[in-house]
Amino acid sequence: MDFAFPWPMSQGEWLAWSSAVVTVLLGLLFFLAPSLAFRILRLQVKPEKVAAIAEGRGRMSGFYLGVGLCCILLAQPLIYMTLGFSWLFTAFGRLLSMMSDGANTPFNWVSIVVELALAALPLAFAFGFLP
């Protein structure tokens, strides 16, 4: 069996692929530089709880890298749908936190817009709204 890199062929697939690339880049940031990633997200690890770095390096980077790389390497609409729904639920969780936890900050508003865009691109492709 020959393996060929599935290069995006349509405008919609390019947009969905772009969302996957951003997801992989975020995963690499968490994997290679979790302290920097936490600073960007305005999170702070307590000195006595350094195991929190493992959460960024393991759990957070694992999902970002796994789903993003599967989208890039397999280029299947259902996998792009997985990526889109993952970002959509991320945005929903942030919105819920903004409404119930008092986390209504400019940083969260910018983040939710980015997350909704990263969700919309693969979902629009997977559901056939983009050619």
Side-chain angles (χ1 to χ4, degrees):
M1 181 174 123
D2 292 333
F3 181 76
F5 181 74
W7 202 248
M9 296 303 226
S10 67
Q11 183 68 28
E13 193 173 1
W14 270 108
L15 293 173
W17 186 84
S18 299
S19 178
V21 168
V22 170
T23 304
V24 167
L25 292 175
L26 287 172
L28 285 173
L29 180 65
F30 274 107
F31 188 71
L32 300 173
S35 296
L36 174 62
F38 283 151
R39 277 197 304 271
I40 291 169
L41 294 177
R42 300 179 179 185
L43 299 174
Q44 184 177 359
V45 176
K46 292 182 179 180
E48 66 273 8
K49 303 281 186 183
V50 293
I53 295 292
E55 289 299 313
R57 200 169 285 216
R59 188 176 311 213
M60 296 170 86
S61 74
F63 277 104
Y64 287 160
L65 287 172
V67 174
L69 285 173
C70 281
C71 287
I72 291 170
L73 295 176
L74 300 175
Q76 298 295 315
L78 289 176
I79 298 175
Y80 280 120
M81 190 182 300
T82 302
L83 177 66
F85 277 119
S86 296
W87 279 114
L88 191 62
F89 277 107
T90 301
F92 179 69
R94 187 176 302 275
L95 181 64
L96 188 62
S97 181
M98 290 168 67
M99 292 188 316
S100 62
D101 301 332
N104 194 1
T105 65
F107 177 81
N108 279 334
W109 280 105
V110 170
S111 295
I112 203 168
V113 168
V114 170
E115 291 159 358
L116 287 172
L118 289 171
L121 296 175
L123 287 175
F125 171 69
F127 287 118
F129 294 121
L130 295 173

